Amino acid sequence: MYLDMLKIIKLGRPQFLFGGFLLFTMGALLAVLFNAPFSSDKFIFGYFILALAHLALHYSNDYFDMNADQFIKPTPISGGSGILIENPNLRQFSKKFAITLIFLSITFAVIFTIIYSYTLWFLLYVILGNFLVWFYSAPPVALAYRGFGEISNGMNGILLSGMGYFTMMGSLDLALIIFAIPLTFLQFIFTIGVEIPDMEGDKLGGKITWIVSRGRSFGFKLIAISGALAVVSFFLLPFTNLFPSNINFRFFALISLIPLTLGIIGLFKKQLNRDSATKMAIMDVASVFVVAMLIDLCLVNTLFSEI
């Protein structure tokens, strides 16, 4: 029983929830800097709704990606959990559990909307997120199998930070959308990074990712370009006059040089075999987490400096 529970937990890859939490927190902190009152109840409740959907993504992906994952050796950032390949008896559980998590996410969003008297848009926002969770790999849409998975994942830069912002502010606005532009570029680095190790297996499994279509060289080019665009975007945000002047966007641009630098290294090293490319991709993905953590810490410091 203990071993089955451990396998079920590993199947959900809970370690990846950390990235969603960082982006959710980022959006929530931005809202507070715009004078939205901070509510720990809203924060916990809102993130709980998001976490349910985020977990559902992993359970549904492992279910629908099982054919592709049989050709892939899991890495710390890609290839699924590997649990269903070793334990096919858990496959139906994975699907049903993903559906249950999505149902709970939407149900709690309804309760949240009623308790805090939010507009129907909050509920629709959560429904949209869960729609993308399910149909990222589920037929008949199957975005990851039709060349649209990267766009769907890239949207997480807006959707995840937007969820935090919406939870605190009670609405979305232009400032959040503009703020999420560099986050979207960072999310592209994450997305391409997790695709790079799985190129051969994804191809055999019928996935049409950008890496399958264009190769690892293209992937490392896209990572470098996305890193550059993130740096430039953070640098330009203060000139929009949409944000409080005490937000240190120069610092955000500076730390975004980390993934940019790694992107340039990957571009020129031309590490195209799976082992060396995987090592580079892991560093690229890790750099996105580092940037997100530092941004959150900077925003927290900004809030405390006002007290």
Side-chain angles (χ1 to χ4, degrees), residues 163-208:
M163 183 64 180
Y165 191 89
F166 211 153
T167 296
M168 288 291 109
M169 184 68 77
S171 63
L172 295 176
D173 52 36
L174 181 61
L176 181 278
I177 294 172
I178 299 299
F179 181 82
I181 290 175
L183 302 183
T184 300
F185 292 130
L186 291 173
Q187 188 65 29
F188 268 121
I189 295 175
F190 173 87
T191 300
I192 299 302
V194 300
E195 287 182 356
I196 283 174
D198 296 345
M199 182 180 73
E200 293 86 357
D202 283 344
K203 185 175 182 179
L204 291 171
K207 274 191 173 183
I208 307 176

Side-chain angles (χ1 to χ4, degrees), residues 268-306:
F268 284 99
K269 275 199 169 185
K270 298 185 183 299
Q271 297 174 338
L272 303 183
N273 70 78
R274 187 178 190 271
D275 290 340
S276 60
T278 296
K279 291 177 183 177
M280 192 72 239
I282 289 173
M283 289 191 288
D284 289 327
V285 170
S287 72
V288 174
F289 281 86
V290 169
V291 171
M293 283 190 290
L294 291 174
I295 290 175
D296 279 353
L297 288 172
C298 183
L299 291 175
V300 168
N301 180 67
T302 301
L303 283 172
F304 276 105
S305 68
E306 292 183 344

Side-chain angles (χ1 to χ4, degrees), residues 241-281:
N241 294 318
L242 290 172
F243 303 95
S245 58
N246 56 350
I247 297 180
N248 194 349
F249 284 110
R250 290 185 178 179
F251 175 71
F252 298 171
L254 179 64
I255 58 177
S256 295
L257 290 172
I258 300 171
L260 171 57
T261 301
L262 288 172
I264 293 172
I265 292 172
L267 183 62
F268 284 99
K269 275 199 169 185
K270 298 185 183 299
Q271 297 174 338
L272 303 183
N273 70 78
R274 187 178 190 271
D275 290 340
S276 60
T278 296
K279 291 177 183 177
M280 192 72 239

